[in-house]
Amino acid sequence: MIYSVHGKLIAKELTMAVVECGGVGYACRTTLYTLGQLGSIGDTVFLYTAMSVREDAVELFGFSTQQELQCFQLLTSVSGVGPKAALSILSDLSPDQFLLTVASGDSKALTRAKGIGAKSAQRIVMELKDKIAGGAAGLFAGSGVEEVAAASQSAGSVGEAIEALVTLGYTQSEVAPIVAKLDPSLSASELIRLTLQEFGKQRNF
């Protein structure tokens, strides 16, 4: 098993980075996110890797962070989701965005990725939501997934506020991180007002 590659970046394509290590060029299929983190041709780079071995092919996948590698491994553990679909999702969403999207149950946001239909997106959320918010949450310290998942599942004013904001056209993964930081004892209307206020600040910034 190849755990990582460290060497000179000798080629970059739309879905691949080639890293030369000890005179051997390792072609790593990767995401737009990782490609954006890499430097220019000739730079020294480091990628965490995962290997896929099938009857008809052996492929190496490379990622700039352990977090993105872990997201890839989570995605490919879902029935019916292969490496190509996982790379598509992680090209559309950063690791933190992916974790928050699943934790908030926002399957619709996943369908923006090329080749991901509604049924696949719903299956990903169904199979990974509890895993990310629960047992796997320790792997993603700082992502806020536990708070977002709790907010998304809340009854009372928090749940009402999120539902109302989604009705207004926002996605769960957009509003849940903001609502999760607010005082849950506030009324739904106050939570909505403060969330919209925060969106206004972000746009002005």
Side-chain angles (χ1 to χ4, degrees):
M1 178 65 69
I2 300 174
Y3 178 79
S4 63
V5 292
H6 182 208
K8 183 191 293 186
L9 182 65
I10 60 174
K12 282 173 73 174
E13 300 176 9
L14 186 60
T15 59
M16 182 182 293
V18 182
V19 182
E20 185 181 78
C21 308
V24 178
Y26 291 88
C28 301
R29 296 200 177 278
T30 189
T31 65
L32 294 177
Y33 176 83
T34 284
L35 288 172
Q37 305 300 305
L38 298 178
S40 304
I41 302 298
D43 287 350
T44 299
V45 298
F46 180 95
L47 294 176
Y48 294 97
T49 59
M51 182 178 286
S52 171
V53 179
R54 305 194 312 269
E55 288 184 5
D56 59 341
V58 177
E59 292 183 303
L60 195 63
F61 300 90
F63 306 93
S64 60
T65 66
Q66 281 189 312
Q67 186 190 49
E68 190 181 29
L69 170 61
Q70 290 160 349
C71 289
F72 175 80
Q73 292 169 330
L74 279 173
L75 277 164
T76 53
S77 73
V78 175
S79 57
V81 178
K84 185 177 180 180
L87 291 181
S88 178
I89 290 170
L90 294 173
S91 287
D92 187 68
L93 299 168
S94 71
D96 278 348
Q97 288 171 334
F98 166 70
L99 294 170
L100 293 173
T101 293
V102 175
S104 64
D106 189 7
S107 63
K108 185 177 180 181
L110 296 176
T111 63
R112 293 199 299 261
K114 185 179 179 180
I116 306 300
K119 288 185 178 179
S120 294
Q122 290 165 4
R123 189 184 309 118
I124 290 167
V125 169
M126 182 178 68
E127 293 192 26
L128 296 184
K129 185 173 182 179
D130 290 342
K131 188 180 292 187
I132 287 174
L139 298 174
F140 310 113
S143 297
V145 294
E146 292 170 300
E147 293 82 357
V148 170
S152 299
Q153 296 170 356
S154 292
S157 59
V158 170
E160 289 176 22
I162 291 175
E163 186 176 344
L165 287 161
V166 169
T167 301
L168 289 174
Y170 296 96
T171 66
Q172 278 187 270
S173 53
E174 285 177 324
V175 300
I178 297 174
V179 177
K181 296 176 182 177
L182 301 175
D183 184 349
S185 66
L186 295 172
S187 66
S189 60
E190 186 66 8
L191 290 170
I192 292 168
R193 185 185 70 79
L194 291 172
T195 302
L196 292 174
Q197 188 177 78
E198 182 61 27
F199 274 120
K201 288 180 183 178
Q202 293 175 2
R203 288 197 181 98
N204 291 334
F205 183 78

